[in-house]
Coordinates of all heavy atoms in Angstrom, one line a residue:
M1 N 7.6 -9.0 10.7 CA 6.9 -8.0 9.9 C 5.5 -8.5 9.6 O 5.4 -9.7 9.3 CB 7.8 -7.9 8.6 CG 7.3 -6.7 7.7 SD 8.3 -6.5 6.2 CE 9.9 -6.2 6.7
T2 N 4.5 -7.6 9.7 CA 3.1 -8.1 9.4 C 2.9 -8.2 7.9 O 3.7 -7.7 7.1 CB 2.2 -7.1 10.0 OG1 2.3 -5.8 9.2 CG2 2.4 -6.8 11.4
S3 N 1.8 -8.9 7.5 CA 1.6 -8.9 6.1 C 1.2 -7.6 5.5 O 1.5 -7.4 4.2 CB 0.4 -10.0 5.8 OG -0.8 -9.6 6.4
E4 N 0.6 -6.8 6.3 CA 0.3 -5.3 5.9 C 1.6 -4.7 5.5 O 1.7 -3.9 4.4 CB -0.3 -4.5 7.0 CG -1.7 -4.9 7.3 CD -2.8 -4.5 6.3 OE1 -2.8 -3.3 5.9 OE2 -3.5 -5.5 5.9
E5 N 2.7 -4.9 6.4 CA 3.9 -4.2 6.0 C 4.5 -4.7 4.7 O 5.1 -4.0 3.9 CB 4.9 -4.3 7.1 CG 4.6 -3.4 8.3 CD 5.4 -3.8 9.6 OE1 5.7 -4.9 9.7 OE2 5.6 -2.8 10.4
N6 N 4.3 -6.0 4.5 CA 4.9 -6.7 3.3 C 4.2 -6.1 2.1 O 4.8 -5.9 1.1 CB 4.6 -8.2 3.4 CG 5.7 -8.9 4.3 OD1 6.8 -8.4 4.3 ND2 5.4 -10.1 4.8
I7 N 2.9 -6.0 2.2 CA 2.2 -5.4 1.0 C 2.6 -4.1 0.7 O 2.9 -3.7 -0.4 CB 0.6 -5.5 1.3 CG1 0.1 -6.9 1.3 CG2 -0.2 -4.6 0.2 CD1 -1.4 -7.0 1.7
D8 N 2.9 -3.2 1.8 CA 3.3 -1.8 1.5 C 4.6 -1.8 0.8 O 4.9 -0.8 0.1 CB 3.4 -1.1 2.9 CG 2.2 -0.4 3.4 OD1 1.2 -0.4 2.5 OD2 2.2 0.0 4.5
K9 N 5.5 -2.8 1.1 CA 6.8 -2.8 0.4 C 6.8 -3.4 -1.0 O 7.8 -3.3 -1.8 CB 7.7 -3.6 1.3 CG 8.1 -2.7 2.5 CD 9.1 -3.5 3.4 CE 9.4 -2.5 4.5 NZ 10.2 -3.2 5.6
K10 N 5.7 -4.0 -1.5 CA 5.7 -4.5 -2.8 C 5.9 -3.4 -3.8 O 5.3 -2.4 -3.5 CB 4.3 -5.2 -3.2 CG 4.1 -6.5 -2.6 CD 2.7 -7.0 -3.0 CE 2.3 -8.4 -2.3 NZ 2.8 -9.5 -2.9
K11 N 6.6 -3.7 -4.9 CA 6.9 -2.5 -5.9 C 6.4 -2.9 -7.3 O 6.3 -4.1 -7.6 CB 8.3 -2.3 -5.8 CG 8.9 -1.6 -4.7 CD 10.3 -1.3 -4.9 CE 10.8 -0.5 -3.7 NZ 12.3 -0.1 -3.8
L12 N 6.0 -1.9 -8.0 CA 5.8 -2.1 -9.4 C 6.2 -0.8 -10.2 O 6.5 0.2 -9.5 CB 4.4 -2.5 -9.7 CG 3.2 -1.6 -9.2 CD1 3.2 -0.2 -9.9 CD2 2.0 -2.2 -9.6
R13 N 6.2 -0.9 -11.5 CA 6.6 0.3 -12.3 C 5.4 1.0 -12.5 O 4.4 0.7 -13.0 CB 7.2 -0.2 -13.6 CG 7.8 0.8 -14.4 CD 8.6 0.4 -15.6 NE 9.2 1.4 -16.3 CZ 10.3 2.0 -15.9 NH1 10.9 1.6 -14.7 NH2 10.8 3.0 -16.6
C14 N 5.5 2.4 -12.0 CA 4.3 3.2 -12.1 C 4.2 3.8 -13.5 O 5.1 4.4 -14.0 CB 4.4 4.4 -11.1 SG 3.2 5.7 -11.3
P15 N 3.1 3.7 -14.2 CA 2.9 4.2 -15.5 C 2.8 5.7 -15.6 O 3.1 6.3 -16.6 CB 1.6 3.6 -16.0 CG 0.8 3.1 -14.8 CD 1.8 2.9 -13.8
K16 N 2.5 6.4 -14.4 CA 2.4 7.7 -14.4 C 3.8 8.4 -14.1 O 4.3 9.3 -14.8 CB 1.6 8.3 -13.2 CG 0.1 8.4 -13.5 CD -0.4 9.2 -12.3 CE -1.8 9.0 -12.0 NZ -2.2 9.6 -10.7
L17 N 4.5 7.8 -13.2 CA 5.9 8.3 -12.8 C 7.1 7.7 -13.6 O 8.1 8.3 -13.7 CB 6.1 8.1 -11.3 CG 5.0 8.7 -10.3 CD1 5.3 8.4 -9.0 CD2 4.9 10.2 -10.5
G18 N 6.9 6.5 -14.1 CA 7.9 5.9 -14.9 C 9.0 5.1 -14.0 O 9.7 4.3 -14.6
G19 N 8.9 5.2 -12.7 CA 9.9 4.5 -11.9 C 9.2 3.4 -11.0 O 8.0 3.4 -11.1
E20 N 10.0 2.6 -10.4 CA 9.5 1.6 -9.5 C 9.0 2.3 -8.2 O 9.8 3.1 -7.5 CB 10.6 0.6 -9.2 CG 10.6 -0.5 -10.0 CD 11.1 -1.8 -9.3 OE1 11.6 -1.8 -8.3 OE2 10.6 -2.8 -9.8
I21 N 7.8 2.0 -7.7 CA 7.4 2.7 -6.5 C 6.6 1.6 -5.7 O 6.1 0.6 -6.1 CB 6.4 3.8 -6.7 CG1 5.2 3.3 -7.5 CG2 7.1 5.1 -7.4 CD1 4.0 4.2 -7.5
P22 N 6.6 1.8 -4.3 CA 6.1 0.8 -3.4 C 4.5 1.0 -3.3 O 4.0 2.1 -3.5 CB 6.7 1.1 -2.0 CG 7.1 2.5 -2.1 CD 7.3 2.9 -3.6
F23 N 3.8 -0.1 -2.9 CA 2.4 0.0 -2.7 C 2.0 1.0 -1.7 O 1.0 1.7 -2.0 CB 1.9 -1.4 -2.2 CG 0.4 -1.4 -2.0 CD1 -0.5 -1.4 -3.1 CD2 -0.1 -1.5 -0.8 CE1 -1.8 -1.4 -3.0 CE2 -1.5 -1.5 -0.6 CZ -2.4 -1.5 -1.7
F24 N 2.8 1.3 -0.7 CA 2.5 2.3 0.2 C 2.3 3.7 -0.4 O 1.3 4.3 -0.1 CB 3.6 2.5 1.2 CG 3.5 3.6 2.2 CD1 2.6 3.5 3.3 CD2 4.0 4.8 2.0 CE1 2.4 4.5 4.2 CE2 3.8 5.9 2.9 CZ 3.0 5.8 4.0
Y25 N 3.1 3.9 -1.4 CA 2.9 5.3 -2.2 C 1.5 5.3 -2.9 O 0.8 6.2 -2.8 CB 4.0 5.5 -3.2 CG 3.8 6.6 -4.1 CD1 4.2 7.9 -3.7 CD2 3.1 6.6 -5.3 CE1 4.1 9.1 -4.4 CE2 2.9 7.7 -6.1 CZ 3.5 8.9 -5.6 OH 3.3 10.0 -6.4
C26 N 1.2 4.1 -3.5 CA -0.1 4.0 -4.3 C -1.3 4.2 -3.4 O -2.3 4.7 -3.8 CB -0.1 2.7 -5.0 SG 1.2 2.5 -6.2
R27 N -1.2 3.7 -2.2 CA -2.4 3.7 -1.3 C -2.5 5.1 -0.5 O -3.5 5.2 0.3 CB -2.4 2.5 -0.4 CG -1.4 2.5 0.8 CD -1.8 1.4 1.7 NE -0.8 1.3 2.8 CZ -0.8 2.1 3.9 NH1 -1.8 2.9 4.1 NH2 0.1 1.9 4.8
T28 N -1.5 6.0 -0.7 CA -1.6 7.2 0.1 C -1.4 8.5 -0.8 O -1.5 9.6 -0.2 CB -0.5 7.2 1.1 OG1 0.8 7.0 0.5 CG2 -0.6 6.2 2.2
V29 N -1.4 8.3 -2.1 CA -0.9 9.4 -2.9 C -1.9 10.6 -3.1 O -1.6 11.7 -3.3 CB -0.5 8.9 -4.3 CG1 -1.7 8.4 -5.1 CG2 0.2 10.0 -5.1
Q30 N -3.2 10.3 -2.9 CA -4.3 11.4 -3.0 C -4.6 11.9 -1.6 O -5.7 11.4 -1.1 CB -5.5 10.8 -3.7 CG -5.3 10.5 -5.1 CD -6.7 10.4 -5.8 OE1 -7.4 11.3 -6.2 NE2 -7.1 9.1 -6.0
D31 N -3.9 12.7 -1.1 CA -4.1 13.2 0.3 C -4.3 12.1 1.3 O -5.3 12.1 2.1 CB -5.3 14.2 0.3 CG -5.0 15.4 -0.5 OD1 -3.8 15.9 -0.5 OD2 -5.9 16.0 -1.1
G32 N -3.5 11.0 1.3 CA -3.6 10.0 2.3 C -4.6 8.8 1.7 O -4.7 7.8 2.3
M33 N -5.2 9.0 0.5 CA -6.0 8.0 0.0 C -5.4 7.4 -1.3 O -4.5 8.0 -1.8 CB -7.5 8.6 -0.3 CG -8.2 9.1 0.8 SD -8.5 7.8 2.1 CE -10.2 7.4 1.7
P34 N -5.9 6.3 -1.7 CA -5.2 5.6 -2.9 C -5.4 6.4 -4.3 O -6.3 7.1 -4.4 CB -6.0 4.3 -2.9 CG -6.4 4.0 -1.5 CD -6.8 5.4 -1.0
C35 N -4.5 6.0 -5.1 CA -4.5 6.5 -6.5 C -5.6 6.0 -7.3 O -6.2 4.9 -7.0 CB -3.2 6.1 -7.2 SG -3.1 6.4 -8.8
E36 N -6.2 6.8 -8.1 CA -7.4 6.3 -8.9 C -7.2 5.2 -9.8 O -8.1 4.6 -10.3 CB -7.9 7.6 -9.6 CG -7.2 8.1 -10.9 CD -6.1 9.1 -10.5 OE1 -5.7 9.2 -9.4 OE2 -5.5 9.7 -11.5
R37 N -5.9 4.8 -10.0 CA -5.6 3.7 -10.9 C -5.1 2.5 -10.2 O -4.6 1.7 -10.8 CB -4.4 4.1 -11.9 CG -4.9 5.3 -12.8 CD -3.8 5.9 -13.5 NE -3.2 5.2 -14.6 CZ -2.4 5.6 -15.6 NH1 -2.0 6.9 -15.5 NH2 -1.9 4.8 -16.5
I38 N -5.3 2.5 -8.9 CA -4.8 1.4 -8.0 C -5.3 0.0 -8.4 O -4.5 -0.9 -8.3 CB -5.0 1.7 -6.5 CG1 -4.2 0.9 -5.7 CG2 -6.5 1.5 -6.2 CD1 -3.9 1.3 -4.2
L39 N -6.6 0.0 -8.8 CA -7.2 -1.4 -9.2 C -6.4 -1.9 -10.3 O -6.0 -3.0 -10.4 CB -8.7 -1.1 -9.5 CG -9.7 -1.3 -8.4 CD1 -11.0 -1.1 -8.9 CD2 -9.6 -2.8 -7.8
G40 N -6.3 -1.1 -11.5 CA -5.7 -1.6 -12.7 C -4.3 -1.9 -12.5 O -3.8 -3.0 -13.0
C41 N -3.5 -1.1 -11.8 CA -2.1 -1.3 -11.6 C -1.8 -2.6 -10.7 O -0.9 -3.4 -11.0 CB -1.4 -0.1 -10.9 SG -1.3 1.3 -12.0
W42 N -2.6 -2.8 -9.7 CA -2.1 -3.9 -8.7 C -2.9 -5.2 -8.9 O -2.6 -6.2 -8.3 CB -2.4 -3.4 -7.3 CG -1.3 -2.4 -7.0 CD1 -1.2 -1.0 -7.1 CD2 0.0 -2.7 -6.6 NE1 0.0 -0.5 -6.7 CE2 0.8 -1.5 -6.4 CE3 0.8 -4.0 -6.2 CZ2 2.2 -1.4 -6.1 CZ3 2.1 -4.0 -5.9 CH2 2.7 -2.7 -5.7
E43 N -4.0 -5.1 -9.8 CA -4.8 -6.4 -9.9 C -3.9 -7.5 -10.3 O -4.2 -8.7 -9.8 CB -5.9 -6.1 -10.9 CG -7.1 -6.9 -10.7 CD -8.3 -6.3 -11.5 OE1 -8.0 -5.9 -12.6 OE2 -9.4 -6.5 -11.0
P44 N -3.0 -7.4 -11.2 CA -2.2 -8.6 -11.6 C -1.4 -9.3 -10.5 O -0.9 -10.4 -10.6 CB -1.2 -8.1 -12.7 CG -1.8 -6.8 -13.1 CD -2.5 -6.2 -12.0
F45 N -1.1 -8.5 -9.4 CA -0.3 -8.9 -8.3 C -0.8 -9.4 -7.1 O -0.4 -10.3 -6.4 CB 0.7 -7.8 -7.9 CG 1.5 -7.2 -9.2 CD1 1.1 -6.1 -9.8 CD2 2.6 -7.9 -9.5 CE1 1.8 -5.6 -10.8 CE2 3.4 -7.5 -10.7 CZ 2.8 -6.3 -11.3
F46 N -2.0 -8.9 -6.7 CA -2.7 -9.6 -5.6 C -4.2 -9.1 -5.7 O -4.5 -8.3 -6.5 CB -2.1 -9.3 -4.3 CG -2.2 -7.8 -3.8 CD1 -3.1 -7.4 -2.7 CD2 -1.4 -6.8 -4.2 CE1 -3.2 -6.2 -2.3 CE2 -1.5 -5.5 -3.7 CZ -2.4 -5.2 -2.8
D47 N -5.1 -9.6 -4.7 CA -6.5 -9.3 -4.8 C -6.8 -7.9 -4.2 O -7.2 -7.7 -3.1 CB -7.2 -10.3 -3.9 CG -8.7 -10.2 -4.1 OD1 -9.1 -9.3 -4.8 OD2 -9.5 -10.9 -3.5
I48 N -6.4 -6.9 -5.0 CA -6.5 -5.5 -4.6 C -8.0 -5.1 -4.3 O -8.3 -4.3 -3.4 CB -5.9 -4.5 -5.6 CG1 -5.9 -3.1 -5.2 CG2 -6.5 -4.7 -7.1 CD1 -5.0 -2.8 -4.0
G49 N -8.9 -5.7 -5.1 CA -10.3 -5.5 -4.9 C -10.8 -5.8 -3.4 O -11.4 -4.9 -2.7
S50 N -10.4 -6.9 -2.8 CA -10.7 -7.3 -1.5 C -9.9 -6.4 -0.5 O -10.5 -6.0 0.5 CB -10.3 -8.8 -1.2 OG -11.1 -9.6 -2.0
Y51 N -8.7 -6.1 -0.8 CA -8.0 -5.2 0.0 C -8.7 -3.9 0.2 O -8.8 -3.4 1.4 CB -6.6 -5.0 -0.6 CG -5.7 -4.0 0.3 CD1 -4.8 -4.5 1.3 CD2 -5.8 -2.7 0.1 CE1 -4.1 -3.6 2.1 CE2 -5.0 -1.7 0.9 CZ -4.2 -2.3 1.8 OH -3.5 -1.3 2.6
L52 N -9.1 -3.3 -0.9 CA -9.8 -2.0 -0.8 C -11.1 -2.1 0.0 O -11.4 -1.2 0.8 CB -10.1 -1.5 -2.1 CG -8.8 -1.1 -3.0 CD1 -9.2 -0.6 -4.3 CD2 -7.9 -0.1 -2.3
K53 N -11.8 -3.2 -0.2 CA -13.1 -3.3 0.5 C -12.8 -3.5 1.9 O -13.7 -3.1 2.9 CB -13.9 -4.5 0.0 CG -14.6 -4.4 -1.3 CD -15.4 -5.5 -1.8 CE -15.8 -5.4 -3.2 NZ -16.1 -6.8 -3.7
E54 N -11.7 -4.2 2.4 CA -11.5 -4.3 3.8 C -11.0 -3.0 4.5 O -11.2 -2.8 5.7 CB -10.3 -5.4 4.0 CG -10.7 -6.8 4.0 CD -9.4 -7.7 4.0 OE1 -8.4 -7.3 4.6 OE2 -9.6 -8.7 3.3
H55 N -10.3 -2.1 3.7 CA -9.8 -1.0 4.4 C -10.5 0.3 4.1 O -10.1 1.4 4.7 CB -8.3 -0.8 3.9 CG -7.4 -1.9 4.3 ND1 -7.4 -3.2 3.7 CD2 -6.6 -1.9 5.4 CE1 -6.4 -3.9 4.3 NE2 -5.9 -3.2 5.3
Y56 N -11.4 0.3 3.2 CA -12.1 1.6 2.9 C -13.7 1.5 2.8 O -14.0 0.4 2.4 CB -11.5 2.2 1.6 CG -10.1 2.5 1.7 CD1 -9.3 1.5 1.1 CD2 -9.6 3.6 2.2 CE1 -7.8 1.7 1.2 CE2 -8.2 3.8 2.3 CZ -7.4 2.8 1.7 OH -5.9 3.0 1.8
T57 N -14.3 2.5 3.1 CA -15.8 2.3 2.9 C -16.2 2.5 1.4 O -15.4 3.0 0.6 CB -16.5 3.5 3.7 OG1 -16.2 4.7 3.0 CG2 -16.1 3.5 5.2
P58 N -17.4 2.0 1.1 CA -17.8 2.1 -0.4 C -17.7 3.6 -0.9 O -17.3 3.8 -2.0 CB -19.2 1.6 -0.4 CG -19.2 0.7 0.7 CD -18.3 1.2 1.8
D59 N -18.1 4.5 0.1 CA -18.1 5.9 -0.4 C -16.6 6.4 -0.7 O -16.3 7.2 -1.6 CB -18.5 6.9 0.8 CG -20.1 7.0 0.6 OD1 -20.6 6.5 -0.3 OD2 -20.6 7.7 1.5
E60 N -15.7 6.1 0.3 CA -14.2 6.4 0.0 C -13.7 5.8 -1.3 O -13.1 6.5 -2.0 CB -13.4 5.9 1.2 CG -13.6 6.7 2.5 CD -12.9 6.0 3.7 OE1 -12.7 4.8 3.7 OE2 -12.6 6.7 4.6
I61 N -14.1 4.6 -1.5 CA -13.6 3.8 -2.7 C -14.1 4.7 -3.9 O -13.3 5.0 -4.9 CB -14.1 2.4 -2.7 CG1 -13.4 1.6 -1.6 CG2 -13.8 1.9 -4.1 CD1 -13.8 0.2 -1.4
E62 N -15.3 5.0 -3.9 CA -15.9 5.7 -5.0 C -15.2 7.1 -5.3 O -14.9 7.5 -6.4 CB -17.5 6.0 -4.7 CG -18.2 6.7 -5.8 CD -18.2 5.9 -7.1 OE1 -18.2 4.7 -7.1 OE2 -18.3 6.5 -8.2
R63 N -15.0 7.8 -4.1 CA -14.2 9.0 -4.3 C -12.8 9.0 -4.8 O -12.5 9.7 -5.6 CB -14.3 9.8 -2.9 CG -15.4 10.8 -2.8 CD -15.4 11.6 -1.5 NE -16.0 10.8 -0.5 CZ -15.5 10.6 0.8 NH1 -14.4 11.1 1.1 NH2 -16.3 9.8 1.6
F64 N -12.1 8.0 -4.2 CA -10.6 8.0 -4.8 C -10.5 7.3 -6.2 O -9.7 7.7 -6.8 CB -9.7 7.5 -3.7 CG -9.8 6.0 -3.3 CD1 -9.5 5.0 -4.2 CD2 -10.1 5.8 -2.0 CE1 -9.6 3.6 -3.9 CE2 -10.2 4.4 -1.6 CZ -10.0 3.4 -2.5
L65 N -11.6 6.5 -6.5 CA -11.4 5.9 -7.9 C -11.9 6.9 -8.9 O -11.5 6.8 -10.0 CB -12.2 4.6 -8.0 CG -11.7 3.5 -7.2 CD1 -12.5 2.2 -7.5 CD2 -10.2 3.1 -7.6
H66 N -12.7 7.8 -8.4 CA -13.3 8.8 -9.4 C -13.2 10.2 -8.9 O -14.1 10.8 -8.5 CB -14.8 8.5 -9.7 CG -15.0 7.1 -10.2 ND1 -14.6 6.6 -11.4 CD2 -15.5 6.0 -9.5 CE1 -14.9 5.4 -11.5 NE2 -15.6 5.0 -10.4
P67 N -12.0 10.7 -8.7 CA -11.7 12.0 -8.1 C -12.4 13.0 -9.1 O -12.2 12.9 -10.3 CB -10.2 12.2 -8.0 CG -9.6 11.2 -9.0 CD -10.7 10.1 -9.2
T68 N -12.9 14.1 -8.5 CA -13.5 15.2 -9.4 C -12.3 16.1 -9.7 O -11.6 16.7 -8.8 CB -14.5 16.0 -8.6 OG1 -14.7 15.5 -7.4 CG2 -15.8 16.2 -9.4
P69 N -12.0 16.4 -11.0 CA -11.0 17.3 -11.4 C -11.4 18.7 -10.9 O -12.5 19.1 -11.0 CB -10.9 17.2 -12.8 CG -12.1 16.5 -13.3 CD -12.8 15.9 -12.2
K70 N -10.3 19.4 -10.4 CA -10.6 20.8 -10.0 C -11.2 21.6 -11.2 O -10.5 21.5 -12.4 CB -9.4 21.4 -9.4 CG -8.9 20.9 -8.1 CD -7.8 21.7 -7.6 CE -7.4 21.2 -6.2 NZ -6.2 21.9 -5.8
D71 N -12.1 22.5 -11.1 CA -12.5 23.3 -12.2 C -11.4 24.4 -12.4 O -10.7 24.7 -11.5 CB -13.8 23.8 -12.1 CG -14.0 24.6 -10.9 OD1 -13.4 25.6 -10.7 OD2 -15.0 24.3 -10.1
K72 N -11.4 25.0 -13.5 CA -10.5 26.0 -13.9 C -10.5 27.2 -13.0 O -9.5 27.8 -12.6 CB -10.7 26.5 -15.3 CG -10.2 25.6 -16.4 CD -10.2 26.2 -17.8 CE -9.7 25.1 -18.7 NZ -10.1 25.5 -20.1
M73 N -11.7 27.6 -12.5 CA -11.9 28.8 -11.6 C -11.2 28.6 -10.3 O -10.5 29.3 -9.8 CB -13.4 29.1 -11.5 CG -13.6 30.3 -10.7 SD -12.7 31.8 -11.4 CE -13.8 32.3 -12.8
S74 N -11.3 27.3 -9.7 CA -10.7 27.0 -8.4 C -9.3 27.0 -8.5 O -8.6 27.5 -7.7 CB -11.1 25.6 -8.0 OG -12.6 25.3 -8.1
T75 N -8.7 26.5 -9.7 CA -7.3 26.4 -9.8 C -6.7 27.8 -10.0 O -5.8 28.3 -9.3 CB -6.9 25.6 -11.2 OG1 -7.6 24.4 -11.1 CG2 -5.5 25.4 -11.3
L76 N -7.5 28.6 -10.7 CA -7.1 30.1 -10.9 C -7.1 30.8 -9.6 O -6.1 31.6 -9.3 CB -8.0 30.8 -11.8 CG -7.6 32.1 -12.5 CD1 -6.3 31.9 -13.2 CD2 -8.6 32.6 -13.4
L77 N -8.1 30.6 -8.8 CA -8.2 31.3 -7.5 C -7.1 30.8 -6.5 O -6.5 31.6 -5.9 CB -9.6 31.0 -6.8 CG -10.8 31.6 -7.4 CD1 -12.0 31.1 -6.8 CD2 -10.7 33.1 -7.3
E78 N -6.7 29.5 -6.7 CA -5.6 29.0 -5.8 C -4.3 29.8 -6.2 O -3.5 30.1 -5.4 CB -5.4 27.5 -6.0 CG -6.3 26.7 -5.0 CD -6.2 25.3 -5.2 OE1 -5.2 24.8 -5.7 OE2 -7.1 24.6 -4.9
I79 N -4.0 29.9 -7.6 CA -2.9 30.5 -8.0 C -2.8 32.0 -7.6 O -1.8 32.4 -7.1 CB -2.8 30.4 -9.6 CG1 -2.6 28.9 -10.0 CG2 -1.7 31.4 -10.1 CD1 -2.8 28.7 -11.5
I80 N -3.9 32.7 -7.7 CA -3.9 34.0 -7.1 C -3.7 34.2 -5.7 O -3.0 35.0 -5.3 CB -5.4 34.7 -7.5 CG1 -5.5 34.8 -9.0 CG2 -5.5 36.0 -6.9 CD1 -7.0 35.1 -9.5
E81 N -4.3 33.3 -4.9 CA -4.1 33.2 -3.5 C -2.6 33.0 -3.2 O -2.1 33.7 -2.3 CB -4.9 32.1 -2.9 CG -5.4 32.3 -1.4 CD -6.0 33.7 -1.1 OE1 -6.8 34.2 -1.9 OE2 -5.5 34.4 -0.2
K82 N -2.0 32.1 -3.8 CA -0.5 31.8 -3.6 C 0.3 33.0 -3.9 O 1.2 33.3 -3.2 CB -0.1 30.7 -4.3 CG -0.5 29.3 -3.8 CD 0.1 28.1 -4.6 CE -0.4 26.8 -4.1 NZ -0.1 25.8 -5.0
A83 N 0.0 33.6 -5.1 CA 0.8 34.9 -5.4 C 0.7 36.0 -4.4 O 1.6 36.6 -4.1 CB 0.3 35.3 -6.8
K84 N -0.6 36.1 -3.9 CA -0.9 37.2 -2.8 C 0.0 36.9 -1.7 O 0.7 37.8 -1.2 CB -2.3 37.1 -2.4 CG -3.2 38.1 -3.2 CD -4.6 38.0 -2.5 CE -5.6 38.6 -3.3 NZ -7.0 38.3 -2.7
K85 N 0.0 35.6 -1.2 CA 0.8 35.3 0.0 C 2.3 35.5 -0.2 O 3.0 36.0 0.6 CB 0.6 33.8 0.4 CG -0.8 33.6 1.1 CD -1.0 32.2 1.4 CE -2.4 32.0 2.1 NZ -2.8 30.5 2.1
K86 N 2.8 35.1 -1.4 CA 4.2 35.3 -1.8 C 4.5 36.8 -1.6 O 5.5 37.2 -1.0 CB 4.5 34.9 -3.2 CG 5.4 33.8 -3.2 CD 5.7 33.4 -4.7 CE 6.5 32.1 -4.8 NZ 6.7 31.7 -6.2
R87 N 3.6 37.6 -2.2 CA 3.9 39.1 -2.2 C 3.8 39.7 -0.7 O 4.7 40.5 -0.4 CB 2.8 39.8 -3.0 CG 3.3 41.1 -3.6 CD 2.4 41.8 -4.5 NE 1.7 41.0 -5.5 CZ 0.5 41.1 -5.8 NH1 -0.4 42.0 -5.3 NH2 -0.1 40.3 -6.6
E88 N 2.9 39.2 0.1 CA 2.9 39.6 1.4 C 4.1 39.3 2.2 O 4.5 40.1 3.1 CB 1.7 38.9 2.1 CG 0.3 39.5 1.7 CD -0.8 38.7 2.2 OE1 -0.6 37.7 3.0 OE2 -1.9 39.0 1.7
K89 N 4.8 38.2 1.9 CA 6.0 37.8 2.6 C 7.2 38.7 2.3 O 8.1 38.8 3.1 CB 6.4 36.3 2.3 CG 5.5 35.3 3.0 CD 6.0 34.0 2.6 CE 5.1 32.8 3.2 NZ 5.5 31.6 2.8
K90 N 7.2 39.3 1.1 CA 8.3 40.1 0.7 C 8.4 41.5 1.5 O 7.5 42.0 2.1 CB 8.2 40.5 -0.7 CG 8.6 39.3 -1.6 CD 8.6 39.7 -3.1 CE 8.9 38.4 -3.9 NZ 8.8 38.6 -5.3
Ligands
SF4_1 S1 -1.6 3.0 -8.6 FE1 -1.2 5.1 -9.4 S2 0.8 5.7 -8.3 FE2 0.5 3.4 -8.1 S3 1.6 2.6 -9.8 FE3 -0.5 2.8 -10.5 S4 -0.5 4.9 -11.5 FE4 1.4 4.8 -10.2

């Protein structure tokens, strides 16, 4: 087993979900990118800062650490779009 696989299997208690989850989940949860809280959660367990620098560009890091919340209008439009699709299927 590679050290990457070992890291993926490390577990901690997620403050968002409440249960134990593996690092793999934390590094892929935002559409394949890491959770915005990954630094704070994993810092006590290993050098997560270096890990992120090795695996992601500075731009990617900036984006997943500071995701832009969807504005209300986009969310509303998505809900309307889903409702339309549901109605079309009937
Ligand atoms: S990094 Fe995110 S998903 Fe992982 S334990 Fe922390 S809050 Fe939960």
Side-chain angles (χ1 to χ4, degrees):
M1 194 182 295
T2 68
S3 62
E4 291 284 314
E5 286 169 332
N6 280 334
I7 291 175
D8 272 351
K9 287 183 178 169
K10 283 179 187 277
K11 286 185 177 176
L12 57 62
R13 188 166 184 79
C14 174
K16 270 195 206 169
L17 304 174
E20 272 213 335
I21 54 160
F23 180 71
F24 175 77
Y25 177 86
C26 300
R27 75 170 176 82
T28 57
V29 68
Q30 289 194 82
D31 293 328
M33 296 304 260
C35 174
E36 72 272 15
R37 293 166 78 168
I38 198 164
L39 269 178
C41 288
W42 287 94
E43 211 164 35
F45 302 98
F46 72 101
D47 187 0
I48 182 69
S50 297
Y51 177 92
L52 295 179
K53 280 183 196 161
E54 275 173 34
H55 292 81
Y56 305 95
T57 66
D59 272 1
E60 287 172 331
I61 294 173
E62 184 59 33
R63 264 184 275 133
F64 64 69
L65 290 184
H66 307 286
T68 354
K70 286 184 182 174
D71 61 54
K72 282 184 183 169
M73 188 53 82
S74 310
T75 310
L76 195 59
L77 290 174
E78 276 177 23
I79 292 169
I80 292 167
E81 208 47 50
K82 277 183 191 168
K84 270 187 195 171
K85 282 182 186 165
K86 241 185 192 175
R87 207 177 313 138
E88 286 168 6
K89 282 183 184 174
K90 287 182 182 175

